[in-house]
Amino acid sequence: MVGGGLYTGYAENAVYNEKLHDYLVFHGTSQYDGQRAAAANGQPTPLVSTAMITEAQFRQTQSYECHKQRFCTLDRQGEPARWYASLEFQANNFGNVDAKIREKNAAKLALTMKRPAGKERHGYKKGGNQNSVAPILFPDSPPSPDRSQFSQGFDIVRRSTFPLFYVLASLPDNPIARTYRRSMSFQLQMVQQMRKHTTSSDSDPFSAAHVYYGKDAENKYKNQPRLRTYSTPPPIRTLMIPIDEGATANETTLTPRKFLIDVETTLKNLLEQEDTDNNMQITIDDYGPKVCEILPVYKAPAKPDNHQVLSVGTAGSNGFNRFDIRGTYMLSNLLQELTLAKGYGCRNIVLDEARLNENPVNRLSRLIKTSFWEGLTRSIDHRAIEVVARDPKDWTDDPRCRIYVPRGAPEQYGYYAKIAKERPEIRLDVQWLPSGNVTAEHVKSLNSKPGLLALAMGQFLDVNTGRFETMGLPFVVPGGRFNELYGWDSYMASLGLLVHDRVDLAKSMVINFCFCIQHYGKILNANRSYYLLRSQPPFLTDMALRVYEKIRHESGALEFLRTAILAAIKEYHNVWMAAPRLDPVTGLSRYRPDGLGVPPETEASHFTHLLEPFAQKHNMTFKQFVEAYNDGLVSEPELDEYFLHDRAVRESGHDTSYRLERVCANLATIDLNSLLYKYETDIARTIRTVFGDKLIIPTEFCTGNMKPDQVESSASWDRRAKKRKAMIDRYLWNEEKGMYFDYDTIKKEQITYESATCFWAMWAGAASPRQASALVNRALPKFEVIGGLVSGTEESRGAVGIDRPNRQWDFPYGWAPQQMLAWTGFIRYGYQEEAERLAYKWLHMITKAFVDFNGVVVEKYDVTRPIDPHKVDAEYGNQGGDFKGVATEGFGWVNASYIYGLQIVNAHMKRALGACTPYDTFVKATGLQGFL
């Protein structure tokens, strides 16, 4: 960090970055040629020193004429304006992509002084207002020590948070400083007057939408300071530093610019002009003008010209002064803000410019925290049960709200029955689940009337009535068509929630999982009736321990952890270490759920290519055959085998992949057994360190051969972990290739499909240091691409085409869980640099798509595409991109991966991400300067 916090070290290497190259005005000088030659020879390249070139020296260079105009943007010491080409400036002014606008911005940020009477200085334009002020780039003589001191004082003024009075007192005593002190003293008085008249009702420009566009949004402009135009006397609340731009109608202000906007009209004009593909989004795929023309404030055209410029009025001038919004990013942000304002019923709004040109990293982080998490939060109670119960995957003839309640929760049955009686319009059907173990036959019988499965409830204080009411514990859904509590999606989401201090949501999801284990026997794939026999990758122990670390000093924290560990022990024995999932020969576990027929959550037509030949074989229509096969009236062992593996693929969370297709139920996978190893080590450590090496198992958590009040010790779980690691090394580790593979328990051989799940062993701590080194050095290069980690290698996937389409968990797609688990695993074994690199690539890809495609955040990405990675052609398409105007949810685990990844990358990387700088460009720039 140099230059008062600016990332100036990037400028000398900007030749590697096409976007910044045009702004580097110093590249024609001999000093820079020397810098470039030194870099080419591998020599150190220190930053260009301040005040290194004078006007006379610059005139001697051959680049003088071609850079004459740009040279007007040199800063206060005659130093090239390399700082405004820095990453931080790029990020903070992201919307102003045009070079002309950038140079104007740089000039406005430069030193401003009154022009001495009768003197011509370099940098002033001929003519114009003689009383206006503009940058003084050079004194009459070369820079003096006093001038340097003055510049340092200006730095304090420009960057300091101290009161201006103390800043002015710190300036040196010379003619330039005295002139500047007099100017600033006057402005200090203006600031004091402005503070007296400014109300506290002005909202934070980066506040959440429900705050920013609340009921007082339309009245905010009444409290905004007005800007001065040259046709009116300056009001007492205005603080101005005008810049001579060749016309007297322009002005600037130290007060942030705000726009007074008619929501409906502006939104209509914006979409008509820019949304050329009519999808209610403004992206780089649209071919609208996306141009900016500065319209003079005294002459507005009666109708738009051929350029179709979009202008908005500033709030400080009551909409009289016009300012044009330009570029895809700012225009799409304007569309998003107007859509939000319209949703809150606003007709006219005062919109801060800061919301339009906000650093994209900051904007996406803010939206995830203030909007996306809330948009994905659900609870099953009277407030919105009709929303939660809605199932986009219900293919029956009469979809309706339905909920199934376990026999062990009679109070919930009464609660929902009361809602059904009081609100008949929602057609809520409340049903009991049978007591005892749920069978495949019973679950199949429910497929004609699918419904929600009840979750945990609690007593919450109603702030409106002051009374406690029964409400459902909230949870976060993945997004898109997935509107339920999912297993491993919830864990991944919790990683981001905990960073944002949403411990309440993460904790309530753990409690919901404990409820599921207690009443349904497992953490479900999701809480729908057709998932009763199916689980998902187990992450409960790690999730509970992360929450516990946040609440350990609160009352009830120890009991919370005890319940979670007991539930995990029950799930471990009841699900993963029992038939049919346990392979008795290897002692390893498999994804192998029970079930009958075609998976009901998937539309039957999804399997048309598979089932049509069998329908013809039995001389039935397609629909007749599906019904007959599901009811057991037709026996087809080949289909039974296919759907056994299909259900296993869905339980694995990796649906679908050629790695698992037609074989998943037979595989002892590295991912599942790494997770169970983590269960065993987590439980052992927790019993030993938290519960004094003694954990009593109560009756409700007993399973198998357990007896009530049985005592569990850490030693037994340590032995389980050691045994599993030995089996992982024996069956899943491949010494020759230096990575883990899945093991076929039927064929008794390793499969050769290369999958990014091999890194899960590092996350779980199951790899030895030697194995971890092999994974990083030999396996990682197979999976690392431009957007991070790809799910599998192209070689393993094989050729794709019409008869063999892409699968979404294969090459070239990347998923948030693969990234987060790999980052954590690399850091665990000391590979911080690799973790930062992979995190940067993933975050850059998300940020770039967010900027170019109207704020989109989707379920998965094509990590090999540098331009539009959110566009995938896999069988299920993508979730999270089908929105109108503004995204309000993103996608759960991608939201989390973004927040989680920002905790891993360093400060320089965060700045570069704000400028959408590709990783290779970032490395070339920062590496030569010694930042990496």
Side-chain angles (χ1 to χ4, degrees), residues 98 279 369 477:
D98 183 76
N279 66 345
K369 183 176 184 178
V477 301

Side-chain angles (χ1 to χ4, degrees), residues 43 117 139 245 279 332 384 394 422 442 464 491 549 614 637 787 795 912:
Q43 300 175 7
E245 296 178 351
N279 66 345
S332 67
D394 184 350
E422 294 176 349
H442 181 74
N464 296 320
Y491 168 77
E549 287 301 316
F614 292 95
E795 180 183 359

Side-chain angles (χ1 to χ4, degrees), residues 110-121 124 129-138 147 150 175-184 186-187 228 230 240-244:
L111 172 65
T112 58
M113 292 284 295
K114 289 272 186 180
R115 182 194 305 178
K119 294 224 177 180
E120 288 288 335
R121 301 274 182 134
Y124 287 96
N129 191 334
Q130 295 298 313
N131 293 324
S132 63
V133 294
I136 289 184
L137 303 178
F138 299 102
R147 179 56 184 256
F150 168 62
I176 296 178
R178 283 195 294 272
T179 302
Y180 187 75
R181 186 184 291 109
R182 285 194 297 271
S183 174
M184 290 302 296
F186 170 75
Q187 294 184 29
R228 177 188 175 188
Y230 287 95
M240 297 176 54
I241 303 179
I243 301 292
D244 180 11

Side-chain angles (χ1 to χ4, degrees), residues 502-774:
R502 292 304 308 271
V503 185
D504 57 321
L505 278 175
K507 179 182 178 182
S508 69
M509 288 194 290
V510 171
I511 297 174
N512 276 322
F513 285 151
C514 295
F515 181 92
C516 289
I517 293 172
Q518 185 175 356
H519 294 282
Y520 308 126
K522 61 180 70 66
I523 292 178
L524 301 168
N525 188 152
N527 64 316
R528 294 282 182 186
S529 57
Y530 40 77
Y531 292 138
L532 274 167
L533 295 171
R534 194 188 309 166
S535 188
Q536 269 202 326
F539 285 92
L540 179 58
T541 57
D542 190 77
M543 186 176 179
L545 287 169
R546 288 176 182 269
V547 173
Y548 176 73
E549 287 301 316
K550 294 280 189 178
I551 66 170
R552 62 187 311 163
H553 299 298
E554 299 179 7
S555 61
L558 190 62
E559 190 58 34
F560 161 83
L561 182 60
R562 185 192 310 276
T563 301
I565 294 299
L566 288 171
I569 291 174
K570 180 176 181 179
E571 181 198 29
Y572 175 88
H573 289 297
N574 196 47
V575 179
W576 304 112
M577 295 301 291
R581 293 177 177 86
L582 176 66
D583 175 49
V585 177
T586 63
L588 298 174
S589 300
R590 306 166 295 187
Y591 297 113
R592 198 180 178 92
D594 287 332
L596 294 173
V598 179
E601 77 275 17
T602 302
E603 194 171 11
S605 59
H606 178 77
F607 298 104
T608 300
H609 67 288
L610 174 70
L611 300 177
E612 190 66 47
F614 292 95
Q616 296 174 2
K617 173 184 173 181
H618 291 274
N619 197 25
M620 296 180 178
T621 65
F622 180 83
K623 183 177 180 180
Q624 289 173 338
F625 176 78
V626 171
E627 293 177 352
Y629 175 70
N630 286 341
D631 293 337
L633 302 178
V634 173
S635 177
E636 285 293 346
E638 182 181 345
L639 287 181
D640 295 342
E641 180 74 7
Y642 177 89
F643 286 116
L644 166 67
H645 296 302
D646 184 82
R647 287 189 295 270
V649 171
R650 299 177 190 282
E651 183 172 71
S652 76
H654 292 73
D655 47 325
T656 57
S657 166
Y658 288 119
R659 165 194 169 216
L660 305 174
E661 191 170 281
R662 296 179 182 268
V663 71
C664 185
N666 298 337
L667 297 181
T669 64
I670 181 58
D671 40 301
L672 175 57
N673 286 281
S674 294
L675 299 182
L676 294 177
Y677 175 83
K678 185 71 160 57
Y679 257 44
E680 293 156 349
T681 55
D682 284 347
I683 293 171
R685 186 178 68 256
T686 304
I687 292 176
R688 182 168 51 251
T689 61
V690 180
F691 299 115
D693 214 8
K694 181 181 179 180
L695 181 64
I696 299 175
I697 309 296
T699 303
E700 63 270 24
F701 288 106
C702 287
T703 184
N705 296 324
M706 286 186 175
K707 298 179 181 179
D709 298 329
Q710 175 179 320
V711 176
E712 290 285 312
S713 67
S714 62
S716 62
W717 289 94
D718 284 331
R719 288 193 296 270
R720 292 184 178 99
K722 291 177 181 178
K723 179 181 178 181
R724 188 175 299 275
K725 175 168 170 43
M727 295 301 101
I728 288 175
D729 290 342
R730 178 178 177 181
Y731 292 105
L732 308 183
W733 175 253
N734 188 306
E735 185 67 31
E736 180 182 353
K737 295 188 177 182
M739 61 187 298
Y740 293 98
F741 291 92
D742 303 326
Y743 182 79
D744 191 321
T745 59
I746 302 300
K747 294 182 179 180
K748 302 187 184 306
E749 62 183 17
Q750 281 187 354
I751 67 168
T752 58
Y753 193 104
E754 296 169 331
S755 170
T757 55
C758 67
F759 299 114
W760 290 29
M762 294 178 68
W763 175 84
S768 67
R770 182 181 61 82
Q771 290 169 326
S773 176

Side-chain angles (χ1 to χ4, degrees), residues 76 109-111 150-158 171 180:
R76 57 218 176 261
L109 289 174
L111 172 65
F150 168 62
S151 294
Q152 295 173 7
F154 180 79
D155 275 348
I156 299 175
V157 174
R158 185 163 64 90
L171 294 178
Y180 187 75

Side-chain angles (χ1 to χ4, degrees), residues 264-279:
E264 192 69 36
T265 301
T266 307
L267 182 60
K268 179 177 179 293
N269 293 340
L270 177 63
L271 289 172
E272 288 178 353
Q273 174 179 307
E274 299 293 344
D275 181 25
T276 58
D277 56 7
N278 298 316
N279 66 345

